[in-house]
Amino acid sequence: MPELPEVQALAERLDAALAGAPLERFDLLQFSSLKTVTPRPADLVGRPLVRVGRRGKYLVLELSGPRLLIHLSQGGRIDLEDPPKVTRPRGSVARVRFGSGPAILVKEFGRERKAGIWALASGDDGPLATLGPEPDSAAFERLVLSGEDPRRVHTILRDQRTVAGIGRGYSDDILHRARLSPTAVLGKLSGDQRRALLEATRSVLAEALEVERRRIGGLPTKIGDHFTVHGRHGTACPRCGDDLRRISYGSHEITYCPSCQTGGKVMADRRLSRLVR
């Protein structure tokens, strides 16, 4: 799933390529992807694209008042078509054209948590209203350094209502860098652990953003190749050389290093536990 670094870098590329151009055409290629009724995207045609920004994992296309939001969810990706096409490639969700620049083709490769598009009137925040603070904000810093949230840190990092923009991948990498167990609870962390968590969150995301800024064009099918531990169970920990392990849940997996994060303890892999039964 594209997370803050991928979406931020993509927003910067789209802004550089399209800002200032008028919305020329919006072609909805998959009916269920449009999450709003009014205004209709067609009603926004002719409005200039002021800027492309990001909030959480949402691309925000500012149209001098109204906005288009794009959320890529689990398997959504974006192609920049230059020149724009009129075909309907497999998995296409929508095509958005601005002036004479490249077209934004939103595609979907997942079966669940599908990509979505919102057309919002001026002043309407839509799904942005439920998002928590950004990871670089003072509010998030206060939460980490003094919050008593009883949930696990991994859960907190993935909860968009608590902090916006982080998903499964960077949560694994952040906990690994901070040397925190996947089951660590925020309210029970020491002062040193809290400071390590805050620093790890910001440094992991900043480094990933620098990598993502090297991309050109849209967002390809395969991303996250620069994760430190996420999705790399069975390989050597880049810090200590121990084998990375995983904990499997119904909808996701957590990757961790026993030596670096759990004092050498290998935690139960629920996927294997179900097979044993």
Side-chain angles (χ1 to χ4, degrees), residues 4-5 8-9 135-136 170 174 177 198-214 226:
L4 186 157
Q8 176 63 37
D136 61 352
Y170 292 111
I174 288 167
R177 180 166 296 187
L198 182 63
E199 172 57 30
T201 300
R202 292 179 170 174
S203 61
V204 165
L205 295 178
E207 291 168 17
L209 178 56
E210 288 307 306
V211 173
E212 287 297 325
R213 282 173 169 159
R214 299 170 194 162
H226 49 78

mmCIF file with all atom_site columns, all heavy atoms in Angstrom, residues 4-5 8-9 135-136 170 174 177 198-214 226:
data_model
loop_
_atom_site.group_PDB
_atom_site.id
_atom_site.type_symbol
_atom_site.label_atom_id
_atom_site.label_alt_id
_atom_site.label_comp_id
_atom_site.label_asym_id
_atom_site.label_entity_id
_atom_site.label_seq_id
_atom_site.pdbx_PDB_ins_code
_atom_site.Cartn_x
_atom_site.Cartn_y
_atom_site.Cartn_z
_atom_site.occupancy
_atom_site.B_iso_or_equiv
_atom_site.pdbx_formal_charge
_atom_site.auth_seq_id
_atom_site.auth_comp_id
_atom_site.auth_asym_id
_atom_site.auth_atom_id
_atom_site.pdbx_PDB_model_num
ATOM 1   N N   . LEU A 1 4   ? 2.917  7.441  3.236  1.00 0.00 ? 4   LEU A N   1
ATOM 2   C CA  . LEU A 1 4   ? 3.280  8.858  3.160  1.00 0.00 ? 4   LEU A CA  1
ATOM 3   C C   . LEU A 1 4   ? 4.425  9.148  2.197  1.00 0.00 ? 4   LEU A C   1
ATOM 4   O O   . LEU A 1 4   ? 4.291  10.036 1.344  1.00 0.00 ? 4   LEU A O   1
ATOM 5   C CB  . LEU A 1 4   ? 3.592  9.371  4.573  1.00 0.00 ? 4   LEU A CB  1
ATOM 6   C CG  . LEU A 1 4   ? 3.854  10.856 4.766  1.00 0.00 ? 4   LEU A CG  1
ATOM 7   C CD1 . LEU A 1 4   ? 3.580  11.251 6.205  1.00 0.00 ? 4   LEU A CD1 1
ATOM 8   C CD2 . LEU A 1 4   ? 5.277  11.266 4.404  1.00 0.00 ? 4   LEU A CD2 1
ATOM 9   N N   . PRO A 1 5   ? 5.566  8.474  2.270  1.00 0.00 ? 5   PRO A N   1
ATOM 10  C CA  . PRO A 1 5   ? 6.666  8.828  1.361  1.00 0.00 ? 5   PRO A CA  1
ATOM 11  C C   . PRO A 1 5   ? 6.301  8.668  -0.114 1.00 0.00 ? 5   PRO A C   1
ATOM 12  O O   . PRO A 1 5   ? 6.648  9.523  -0.940 1.00 0.00 ? 5   PRO A O   1
ATOM 13  C CB  . PRO A 1 5   ? 7.788  7.864  1.766  1.00 0.00 ? 5   PRO A CB  1
ATOM 14  C CG  . PRO A 1 5   ? 7.490  7.532  3.196  1.00 0.00 ? 5   PRO A CG  1
ATOM 15  C CD  . PRO A 1 5   ? 5.996  7.455  3.251  1.00 0.00 ? 5   PRO A CD  1
ATOM 16  N N   . GLN A 1 8   ? 3.606  11.431 -1.004 1.00 0.00 ? 8   GLN A N   1
ATOM 17  C CA  . GLN A 1 8   ? 4.180  12.777 -1.000 1.00 0.00 ? 8   GLN A CA  1
ATOM 18  C C   . GLN A 1 8   ? 5.045  13.014 -2.235 1.00 0.00 ? 8   GLN A C   1
ATOM 19  O O   . GLN A 1 8   ? 4.930  14.052 -2.895 1.00 0.00 ? 8   GLN A O   1
ATOM 20  C CB  . GLN A 1 8   ? 5.006  12.993 0.262  1.00 0.00 ? 8   GLN A CB  1
ATOM 21  C CG  . GLN A 1 8   ? 5.731  14.328 0.325  1.00 0.00 ? 8   GLN A CG  1
ATOM 22  C CD  . GLN A 1 8   ? 4.794  15.514 0.336  1.00 0.00 ? 8   GLN A CD  1
ATOM 23  O OE1 . GLN A 1 8   ? 3.729  15.441 0.957  1.00 0.00 ? 8   GLN A OE1 1
ATOM 24  N NE2 . GLN A 1 8   ? 5.156  16.593 -0.341 1.00 0.00 ? 8   GLN A NE2 1
ATOM 25  N N   . ALA A 1 9   ? 5.921  12.067 -2.536 1.00 0.00 ? 9   ALA A N   1
ATOM 26  C CA  . ALA A 1 9   ? 6.780  12.228 -3.706 1.00 0.00 ? 9   ALA A CA  1
ATOM 27  C C   . ALA A 1 9   ? 5.956  12.249 -4.995 1.00 0.00 ? 9   ALA A C   1
ATOM 28  O O   . ALA A 1 9   ? 6.260  13.012 -5.921 1.00 0.00 ? 9   ALA A O   1
ATOM 29  C CB  . ALA A 1 9   ? 7.821  11.107 -3.761 1.00 0.00 ? 9   ALA A CB  1
ATOM 30  N N   . PRO A 1 135 ? 2.879  12.881 10.945 1.00 0.00 ? 135 PRO A N   1
ATOM 31  C CA  . PRO A 1 135 ? 3.982  12.414 11.790 1.00 0.00 ? 135 PRO A CA  1
ATOM 32  C C   . PRO A 1 135 ? 5.002  13.484 12.167 1.00 0.00 ? 135 PRO A C   1
ATOM 33  O O   . PRO A 1 135 ? 5.704  13.331 13.165 1.00 0.00 ? 135 PRO A O   1
ATOM 34  C CB  . PRO A 1 135 ? 4.633  11.320 10.927 1.00 0.00 ? 135 PRO A CB  1
ATOM 35  C CG  . PRO A 1 135 ? 3.561  10.860 10.018 1.00 0.00 ? 135 PRO A CG  1
ATOM 36  C CD  . PRO A 1 135 ? 2.757  12.088 9.711  1.00 0.00 ? 135 PRO A CD  1
ATOM 37  N N   . ASP A 1 136 ? 5.094  14.558 11.387 1.00 0.00 ? 136 ASP A N   1
ATOM 38  C CA  . ASP A 1 136 ? 6.065  15.611 11.706 1.00 0.00 ? 136 ASP A CA  1
ATOM 39  C C   . ASP A 1 136 ? 5.450  16.743 12.523 1.00 0.00 ? 136 ASP A C   1
ATOM 40  O O   . ASP A 1 136 ? 6.089  17.780 12.729 1.00 0.00 ? 136 ASP A O   1
ATOM 41  C CB  . ASP A 1 136 ? 6.688  16.179 10.429 1.00 0.00 ? 136 ASP A CB  1
ATOM 42  C CG  . ASP A 1 136 ? 5.655  16.826 9.503  1.00 0.00 ? 136 ASP A CG  1
ATOM 43  O OD1 . ASP A 1 136 ? 4.436  16.710 9.779  1.00 0.00 ? 136 ASP A OD1 1
ATOM 44  O OD2 . ASP A 1 136 ? 6.063  17.437 8.496  1.00 0.00 ? 136 ASP A OD2 1
ATOM 45  N N   . TYR A 1 170 ? 5.975  0.873  6.890  1.00 0.00 ? 170 TYR A N   1
ATOM 46  C CA  . TYR A 1 170 ? 6.846  1.752  7.651  1.00 0.00 ? 170 TYR A CA  1
ATOM 47  C C   . TYR A 1 170 ? 6.688  1.552  9.153  1.00 0.00 ? 170 TYR A C   1
ATOM 48  O O   . TYR A 1 170 ? 7.616  1.856  9.917  1.00 0.00 ? 170 TYR A O   1
ATOM 49  C CB  . TYR A 1 170 ? 6.643  3.207  7.234  1.00 0.00 ? 170 TYR A CB  1
ATOM 50  C CG  . TYR A 1 170 ? 7.128  3.437  5.820  1.00 0.00 ? 170 TYR A CG  1
ATOM 51  C CD1 . TYR A 1 170 ? 6.248  3.703  4.786  1.00 0.00 ? 170 TYR A CD1 1
ATOM 52  C CD2 . TYR A 1 170 ? 8.483  3.335  5.510  1.00 0.00 ? 170 TYR A CD2 1
ATOM 53  C CE1 . TYR A 1 170 ? 6.694  3.878  3.477  1.00 0.00 ? 170 TYR A CE1 1
ATOM 54  C CE2 . TYR A 1 170 ? 8.938  3.509  4.214  1.00 0.00 ? 170 TYR A CE2 1
ATOM 55  C CZ  . TYR A 1 170 ? 8.041  3.771  3.202  1.00 0.00 ? 170 TYR A CZ  1
ATOM 56  O OH  . TYR A 1 170 ? 8.486  3.926  1.904  1.00 0.00 ? 170 TYR A OH  1
ATOM 57  N N   . ILE A 1 174 ? 9.879  1.297  11.460 1.00 0.00 ? 174 ILE A N   1
ATOM 58  C CA  . ILE A 1 174 ? 10.029 2.237  12.572 1.00 0.00 ? 174 ILE A CA  1
ATOM 59  C C   . ILE A 1 174 ? 10.293 1.487  13.875 1.00 0.00 ? 174 ILE A C   1
ATOM 60  O O   . ILE A 1 174 ? 11.204 1.848  14.641 1.00 0.00 ? 174 ILE A O   1
ATOM 61  C CB  . ILE A 1 174 ? 8.763  3.117  12.695 1.00 0.00 ? 174 ILE A CB  1
ATOM 62  C CG1 . ILE A 1 174 ? 8.711  4.114  11.528 1.00 0.00 ? 174 ILE A CG1 1
ATOM 63  C CG2 . ILE A 1 174 ? 8.727  3.840  14.030 1.00 0.00 ? 174 ILE A CG2 1
ATOM 64  C CD1 . ILE A 1 174 ? 7.365  4.798  11.371 1.00 0.00 ? 174 ILE A CD1 1
ATOM 65  N N   . ARG A 1 177 ? 13.839 0.113  13.872 1.00 0.00 ? 177 ARG A N   1
ATOM 66  C CA  . ARG A 1 177 ? 14.878 1.118  14.118 1.00 0.00 ? 177 ARG A CA  1
ATOM 67  C C   . ARG A 1 177 ? 14.871 1.570  15.580 1.00 0.00 ? 177 ARG A C   1
ATOM 68  O O   . ARG A 1 177 ? 15.926 1.822  16.162 1.00 0.00 ? 177 ARG A O   1
ATOM 69  C CB  . ARG A 1 177 ? 14.694 2.314  13.202 1.00 0.00 ? 177 ARG A CB  1
ATOM 70  C CG  . ARG A 1 177 ? 15.751 3.385  13.430 1.00 0.00 ? 177 ARG A CG  1
ATOM 71  C CD  . ARG A 1 177 ? 15.778 4.409  12.326 1.00 0.00 ? 177 ARG A CD  1
ATOM 72  N NE  . ARG A 1 177 ? 16.166 3.827  11.041 1.00 0.00 ? 177 ARG A NE  1
ATOM 73  C CZ  . ARG A 1 177 ? 16.389 4.525  9.938  1.00 0.00 ? 177 ARG A CZ  1
ATOM 74  N NH1 . ARG A 1 177 ? 16.278 5.854  9.971  1.00 0.00 ? 177 ARG A NH1 1
ATOM 75  N NH2 . ARG A 1 177 ? 16.710 3.932  8.814  1.00 0.00 ? 177 ARG A NH2 1
ATOM 76  N N   . LEU A 1 198 ? 10.013 8.408  18.485 1.00 0.00 ? 198 LEU A N   1
ATOM 77  C CA  . LEU A 1 198 ? 9.784  9.647  17.736 1.00 0.00 ? 198 LEU A CA  1
ATOM 78  C C   . LEU A 1 198 ? 10.875 9.855  16.685 1.00 0.00 ? 198 LEU A C   1
ATOM 79  O O   . LEU A 1 198 ? 10.575 10.162 15.522 1.00 0.00 ? 198 LEU A O   1
ATOM 80  C CB  . LEU A 1 198 ? 9.749  10.837 18.694 1.00 0.00 ? 198 LEU A CB  1
ATOM 81  C CG  . LEU A 1 198 ? 9.477  12.197 18.048 1.00 0.00 ? 198 LEU A CG  1
ATOM 82  C CD1 . LEU A 1 198 ? 8.104  12.225 17.397 1.00 0.00 ? 198 LEU A CD1 1
ATOM 83  C CD2 . LEU A 1 198 ? 9.603  13.307 19.092 1.00 0.00 ? 198 LEU A CD2 1
ATOM 84  N N   . GLU A 1 199 ? 12.118 9.659  17.080 1.00 0.00 ? 199 GLU A N   1
ATOM 85  C CA  . GLU A 1 199 ? 13.231 9.828  16.142 1.00 0.00 ? 199 GLU A CA  1
ATOM 86  C C   . GLU A 1 199 ? 13.153 8.811  15.013 1.00 0.00 ? 199 GLU A C   1
ATOM 87  O O   . GLU A 1 199 ? 13.387 9.139  13.842 1.00 0.00 ? 199 GLU A O   1
ATOM 88  C CB  . GLU A 1 199 ? 14.556 9.707  16.881 1.00 0.00 ? 199 GLU A CB  1
ATOM 89  C CG  . GLU A 1 199 ? 15.784 9.667  15.973 1.00 0.00 ? 199 GLU A CG  1
ATOM 90  C CD  . GLU A 1 199 ? 15.902 10.868 15.061 1.00 0.00 ? 199 GLU A CD  1
ATOM 91  O OE1 . GLU A 1 199 ? 15.434 11.963 15.440 1.00 0.00 ? 199 GLU A OE1 1
ATOM 92  O OE2 . GLU A 1 199 ? 16.469 10.715 13.959 1.00 0.00 ? 199 GLU A OE2 1
ATOM 93  N N   . ALA A 1 200 ? 12.826 7.561  15.341 1.00 0.00 ? 200 ALA A N   1
ATOM 94  C CA  . ALA A 1 200 ? 12.734 6.524  14.314 1.00 0.00 ? 200 ALA A CA  1
ATOM 95  C C   . ALA A 1 200 ? 11.621 6.829  13.324 1.00 0.00 ? 200 ALA A C   1
ATOM 96  O O   . ALA A 1 200 ? 11.779 6.647  12.115 1.00 0.00 ? 200 ALA A O   1
ATOM 97  C CB  . ALA A 1 200 ? 12.497 5.161  14.971 1.00 0.00 ? 200 ALA A CB  1
ATOM 98  N N   . THR A 1 201 ? 10.488 7.299  13.826 1.00 0.00 ? 201 THR A N   1
ATOM 99  C CA  . THR A 1 201 ? 9.367  7.628  12.936 1.00 0.00 ? 201 THR A CA  1
ATOM 100 C C   . THR A 1 201 ? 9.780  8.678  11.921 1.00 0.00 ? 201 THR A C   1
ATOM 101 O O   . THR A 1 201 ? 9.563  8.527  10.711 1.00 0.00 ? 201 THR A O   1
ATOM 102 C CB  . THR A 1 201 ? 8.165  8.135  13.751 1.00 0.00 ? 201 THR A CB  1
ATOM 103 O OG1 . THR A 1 201 ? 7.747  7.124  14.682 1.00 0.00 ? 201 THR A OG1 1
ATOM 104 C CG2 . THR A 1 201 ? 6.993  8.467  12.834 1.00 0.00 ? 201 THR A CG2 1
ATOM 105 N N   . ARG A 1 202 ? 10.384 9.722  12.393 1.00 0.00 ? 202 ARG A N   1
ATOM 106 C CA  . ARG A 1 202 ? 10.724 10.821 11.509 1.00 0.00 ? 202 ARG A CA  1
ATOM 107 C C   . ARG A 1 202 ? 11.882 10.486 10.577 1.00 0.00 ? 202 ARG A C   1
ATOM 108 O O   . ARG A 1 202 ? 11.866 10.852 9.401  1.00 0.00 ? 202 ARG A O   1
ATOM 109 C CB  . ARG A 1 202 ? 11.029 12.066 12.348 1.00 0.00 ? 202 ARG A CB  1
ATOM 110 C CG  . ARG A 1 202 ? 9.764  12.567 13.039 1.00 0.00 ? 202 ARG A CG  1
ATOM 111 C CD  . ARG A 1 202 ? 9.980  13.779 13.901 1.00 0.00 ? 202 ARG A CD  1
ATOM 112 N NE  . ARG A 1 202 ? 8.682  14.320 14.332 1.00 0.00 ? 202 ARG A NE  1
ATOM 113 C CZ  . ARG A 1 202 ? 8.538  15.319 15.205 1.00 0.00 ? 202 ARG A CZ  1
ATOM 114 N NH1 . ARG A 1 202 ? 9.617  15.890 15.727 1.00 0.00 ? 202 ARG A NH1 1
ATOM 115 N NH2 . ARG A 1 202 ? 7.340  15.749 15.542 1.00 0.00 ? 202 ARG A NH2 1
ATOM 116 N N   . SER A 1 203 ? 12.874 9.756  11.070 1.00 0.00 ? 203 SER A N   1
ATOM 117 C CA  . SER A 1 203 ? 14.025 9.440  10.224 1.00 0.00 ? 203 SER A CA  1
ATOM 118 C C   . SER A 1 203 ? 13.677 8.392  9.168  1.00 0.00 ? 203 SER A C   1
ATOM 119 O O   . SER A 1 203 ? 14.091 8.511  8.006  1.00 0.00 ? 203 SER A O   1
ATOM 120 C CB  . SER A 1 203 ? 15.204 8.971  11.077 1.00 0.00 ? 203 SER A CB  1
ATOM 121 O OG  . SER A 1 203 ? 14.895 7.792  11.797 1.00 0.00 ? 203 SER A OG  1
ATOM 122 N N   . VAL A 1 204 ? 12.899 7.386  9.532  1.00 0.00 ? 204 VAL A N   1
ATOM 123 C CA  . VAL A 1 204 ? 12.504 6.363  8.560  1.00 0.00 ? 204 VAL A CA  1
ATOM 124 C C   . VAL A 1 204 ? 11.695 6.990  7.435  1.00 0.00 ? 204 VAL A C   1
ATOM 125 O O   . VAL A 1 204 ? 11.939 6.730  6.248  1.00 0.00 ? 204 VAL A O   1
ATOM 126 C CB  . VAL A 1 204 ? 11.707 5.234  9.244  1.00 0.00 ? 204 VAL A CB  1
ATOM 127 C CG1 . VAL A 1 204 ? 10.976 4.373  8.215  1.00 0.00 ? 204 VAL A CG1 1
ATOM 128 C CG2 . VAL A 1 204 ? 12.634 4.359  10.081 1.00 0.00 ? 204 VAL A CG2 1
ATOM 129 N N   . LEU A 1 205 ? 10.738 7.843  7.782  1.00 0.00 ? 205 LEU A N   1
ATOM 130 C CA  . LEU A 1 205 ? 9.899  8.461  6.753  1.00 0.00 ? 205 LEU A CA  1
ATOM 131 C C   . LEU A 1 205 ? 10.704 9.441  5.895  1.00 0.00 ? 205 LEU A C   1
ATOM 132 O O   . LEU A 1 205 ? 10.511 9.510  4.678  1.00 0.00 ? 205 LEU A O   1
ATOM 133 C CB  . LEU A 1 205 ? 8.711  9.169  7.401  1.00 0.00 ? 205 LEU A CB  1
ATOM 134 C CG  . LEU A 1 205 ? 7.706  8.276  8.123  1.00 0.00 ? 205 LEU A CG  1
ATOM 135 C CD1 . LEU A 1 205 ? 6.602  9.125  8.753  1.00 0.00 ? 205 LEU A CD1 1
ATOM 136 C CD2 . LEU A 1 205 ? 7.098  7.244  7.180  1.00 0.00 ? 205 LEU A CD2 1
ATOM 137 N N   . ALA A 1 206 ? 11.598 10.198 6.522  1.00 0.00 ? 206 ALA A N   1
ATOM 138 C CA  . ALA A 1 206 ? 12.407 11.161 5.763  1.00 0.00 ? 206 ALA A CA  1
ATOM 139 C C   . ALA A 1 206 ? 13.330 10.456 4.780  1.00 0.00 ? 206 ALA A C   1
ATOM 140 O O   . ALA A 1 206 ? 13.477 10.886 3.627  1.00 0.00 ? 206 ALA A O   1
ATOM 141 C CB  . ALA A 1 206 ? 13.221 12.032 6.728  1.00 0.00 ? 206 ALA A CB  1
ATOM 142 N N   . GLU A 1 207 ? 13.960 9.375  5.214  1.00 0.00 ? 207 GLU A N   1
ATOM 143 C CA  . GLU A 1 207 ? 14.856 8.632  4.318  1.00 0.00 ? 207 GLU A CA  1
ATOM 144 C C   . GLU A 1 207 ? 14.075 7.992  3.177  1.00 0.00 ? 207 GLU A C   1
ATOM 145 O O   . GLU A 1 207 ? 14.538 7.983  2.026  1.00 0.00 ? 207 GLU A O   1
ATOM 146 C CB  . GLU A 1 207 ? 15.605 7.579  5.118  1.00 0.00 ? 207 GLU A CB  1
ATOM 147 C CG  . GLU A 1 207 ? 16.628 8.172  6.085  1.00 0.00 ? 207 GLU A CG  1
ATOM 148 C CD  . GLU A 1 207 ? 17.157 7.162  7.079  1.00 0.00 ? 207 GLU A CD  1
ATOM 149 O OE1 . GLU A 1 207 ? 16.993 5.938  6.826  1.00 0.00 ? 207 GLU A OE1 1
ATOM 150 O OE2 . GLU A 1 207 ? 17.736 7.564  8.106  1.00 0.00 ? 207 GLU A OE2 1
ATOM 151 N N   . ALA A 1 208 ? 12.893 7.452  3.493  1.00 0.00 ? 208 ALA A N   1
ATOM 152 C CA  . ALA A 1 208 ? 12.077 6.842  2.442  1.00 0.00 ? 208 ALA A CA  1
ATOM 153 C C   . ALA A 1 208 ? 11.619 7.885  1.429  1.00 0.00 ? 208 ALA A C   1
ATOM 154 O O   . ALA A 1 208 ? 11.570 7.614  0.221  1.00 0.00 ? 208 ALA A O   1
ATOM 155 C CB  . ALA A 1 208 ? 10.870 6.140  3.063  1.00 0.00 ? 208 ALA A CB  1
ATOM 156 N N   . LEU A 1 209 ? 11.296 9.077  1.904  1.00 0.00 ? 209 LEU A N   1
ATOM 157 C CA  . LEU A 1 209 ? 10.872 10.140 0.994  1.00 0.00 ? 209 LEU A CA  1
ATOM 158 C C   . LEU A 1 209 ? 11.989 10.515 0.028  1.00 0.00 ? 209 LEU A C   1
ATOM 159 O O   . LEU A 1 209 ? 11.745 10.736 -1.171 1.00 0.00 ? 209 LEU A O   1
ATOM 160 C CB  . LEU A 1 209 ? 10.422 11.366 1.783  1.00 0.00 ? 209 LEU A CB  1
ATOM 161 C CG  . LEU A 1 209 ? 9.999  12.585 0.970  1.00 0.00 ? 209 LEU A CG  1
ATOM 162 C CD1 . LEU A 1 209 ? 8.885  12.241 -0.013 1.00 0.00 ? 209 LEU A CD1 1
ATOM 163 C CD2 . LEU A 1 209 ? 9.569  13.729 1.900  1.00 0.00 ? 209 LEU A CD2 1
ATOM 164 N N   . GLU A 1 210 ? 13.208 10.566 0.511  1.00 0.00 ? 210 GLU A N   1
ATOM 165 C CA  . GLU A 1 210 ? 14.331 10.880 -0.368 1.00 0.00 ? 210 GLU A CA  1
ATOM 166 C C   . GLU A 1 210 ? 14.490 9.825  -1.458 1.00 0.00 ? 210 GLU A C   1
ATOM 167 O O   . GLU A 1 210 ? 14.802 10.140 -2.609 1.00 0.00 ? 210 GLU A O   1
ATOM 168 C CB  . GLU A 1 210 ? 15.615 11.019 0.447  1.00 0.00 ? 210 GLU A CB  1
ATOM 169 C CG  . GLU A 1 210 ? 15.668 12.278 1.283  1.00 0.00 ? 210 GLU A CG  1
ATOM 170 C CD  . GLU A 1 210 ? 15.417 13.531 0.454  1.00 0.00 ? 210 GLU A CD  1
ATOM 171 O OE1 . GLU A 1 210 ? 16.114 13.721 -0.559 1.00 0.00 ? 210 GLU A OE1 1
ATOM 172 O OE2 . GLU A 1 210 ? 14.517 14.316 0.808  1.00 0.00 ? 210 GLU A OE2 1
ATOM 173 N N   . VAL A 1 211 ? 14.279 8.563  -1.099 1.00 0.00 ? 211 VAL A N   1
ATOM 174 C CA  . VAL A 1 211 ? 14.339 7.484  -2.092 1.00 0.00 ? 211 VAL A CA  1
ATOM 175 C C   . VAL A 1 211 ? 13.215 7.643  -3.099 1.00 0.00 ? 211 VAL A C   1
ATOM 176 O O   . VAL A 1 211 ? 13.414 7.523  -4.317 1.00 0.00 ? 211 VAL A O   1
ATOM 177 C CB  . VAL A 1 211 ? 14.267 6.105  -1.407 1.00 0.00 ? 211 VAL A CB  1
ATOM 178 C CG1 . VAL A 1 211 ? 14.161 4.991  -2.452 1.00 0.00 ? 211 VAL A CG1 1
ATOM 179 C CG2 . VAL A 1 211 ? 15.488 5.879  -0.530 1.00 0.00 ? 211 VAL A CG2 1
ATOM 180 N N   . GLU A 1 212 ? 11.995 7.915  -2.614 1.00 0.00 ? 212 GLU A N   1
ATOM 181 C CA  . GLU A 1 212 ? 10.844 8.037  -3.501 1.00 0.00 ? 212 GLU A CA  1
ATOM 182 C C   . GLU A 1 212 ? 10.977 9.228  -4.448 1.00 0.00 ? 212 GLU A C   1
ATOM 183 O O   . GLU A 1 212 ? 10.437 9.196  -5.563 1.00 0.00 ? 212 GLU A O   1
ATOM 184 C CB  . GLU A 1 212 ? 9.561  8.152  -2.677 1.00 0.00 ? 212 GLU A CB  1
ATOM 185 C CG  . GLU A 1 212 ? 9.128  6.857  -2.008 1.00 0.00 ? 212 GLU A CG  1
ATOM 186 C CD  . GLU A 1 212 ? 8.797  5.764  -3.008 1.00 0.00 ? 212 GLU A CD  1
ATOM 187 O OE1 . GLU A 1 212 ? 8.256  6.083  -4.091 1.00 0.00 ? 212 GLU A OE1 1
ATOM 188 O OE2 . GLU A 1 212 ? 9.087  4.596  -2.722 1.00 0.00 ? 212 GLU A OE2 1
ATOM 189 N N   . ARG A 1 213 ? 11.674 10.243 -4.027 1.00 0.00 ? 213 ARG A N   1
ATOM 190 C CA  . ARG A 1 213 ? 11.848 11.415 -4.887 1.00 0.00 ? 213 ARG A CA  1
ATOM 191 C C   . ARG A 1 213 ? 12.739 11.130 -6.095 1.00 0.00 ? 213 ARG A C   1
ATOM 192 O O   . ARG A 1 213 ? 12.818 11.945 -7.010 1.00 0.00 ? 213 ARG A O   1
ATOM 193 C CB  . ARG A 1 213 ? 12.425 12.569 -4.072 1.00 0.00 ? 213 ARG A CB  1
ATOM 194 C CG  . ARG A 1 213 ? 11.380 13.270 -3.209 1.00 0.00 ? 213 ARG A CG  1
ATOM 195 C CD  . ARG A 1 213 ? 11.979 14.291 -2.284 1.00 0.00 ? 213 ARG A CD  1
ATOM 196 N NE  . ARG A 1 213 ? 10.944 15.114 -1.657 1.00 0.00 ? 213 ARG A NE  1
ATOM 197 C CZ  . ARG A 1 213 ? 11.106 15.801 -0.522 1.00 0.00 ? 213 ARG A CZ  1
ATOM 198 N NH1 . ARG A 1 213 ? 12.277 15.760 0.112  1.00 0.00 ? 213 ARG A NH1 1
ATOM 199 N NH2 . ARG A 1 213 ? 10.117 16.511 -0.021 1.00 0.00 ? 213 ARG A NH2 1
ATOM 200 N N   . ARG A 1 214 ? 13.387 9.988  -6.110 1.00 0.00 ? 214 ARG A N   1
ATOM 201 C CA  . ARG A 1 214 ? 14.203 9.611  -7.261 1.00 0.00 ? 214 ARG A CA  1
ATOM 202 C C   . ARG A 1 214 ? 13.370 9.001  -8.381 1.00 0.00 ? 214 ARG A C   1
ATOM 203 O O   . ARG A 1 214 ? 13.856 8.800  -9.488 1.00 0.00 ? 214 ARG A O   1
ATOM 204 C CB  . ARG A 1 214 ? 15.284 8.622  -6.827 1.00 0.00 ? 214 ARG A CB  1
ATOM 205 C CG  . ARG A 1 214 ? 16.255 9.165  -5.792 1.00 0.00 ? 214 ARG A CG  1
ATOM 206 C CD  . ARG A 1 214 ? 17.134 8.070  -5.248 1.00 0.00 ? 214 ARG A CD  1
ATOM 207 N NE  . ARG A 1 214 ? 17.838 8.493  -4.036 1.00 0.00 ? 214 ARG A NE  1
ATOM 208 C CZ  . ARG A 1 214 ? 18.394 7.667  -3.170 1.00 0.00 ? 214 ARG A CZ  1
ATOM 209 N NH1 . ARG A 1 214 ? 18.332 6.351  -3.396 1.00 0.00 ? 214 ARG A NH1 1
ATOM 210 N NH2 . ARG A 1 214 ? 18.997 8.116  -2.097 1.00 0.00 ? 214 ARG A NH2 1
ATOM 211 N N   . HIS A 1 226 ? 12.597 -0.554 -0.786 1.00 0.00 ? 226 HIS A N   1
ATOM 212 C CA  . HIS A 1 226 ? 13.604 -0.018 0.124  1.00 0.00 ? 226 HIS A CA  1
ATOM 213 C C   . HIS A 1 226 ? 13.232 -0.219 1.595  1.00 0.00 ? 226 HIS A C   1
ATOM 214 O O   . HIS A 1 226 ? 13.855 0.374  2.477  1.00 0.00 ? 226 HIS A O   1
ATOM 215 C CB  . HIS A 1 226 ? 13.838 1.469  -0.159 1.00 0.00 ? 226 HIS A CB  1
ATOM 216 C CG  . HIS A 1 226 ? 12.573 2.276  -0.243 1.00 0.00 ? 226 HIS A CG  1
ATOM 217 N ND1 . HIS A 1 226 ? 11.873 2.687  0.860  1.00 0.00 ? 226 HIS A ND1 1
ATOM 218 C CD2 . HIS A 1 226 ? 11.889 2.736  -1.316 1.00 0.00 ? 226 HIS A CD2 1
ATOM 219 C CE1 . HIS A 1 226 ? 10.804 3.371  0.477  1.00 0.00 ? 226 HIS A CE1 1
ATOM 220 N NE2 . HIS A 1 226 ? 10.789 3.418  -0.835 1.00 0.00 ? 226 HIS A NE2 1
#
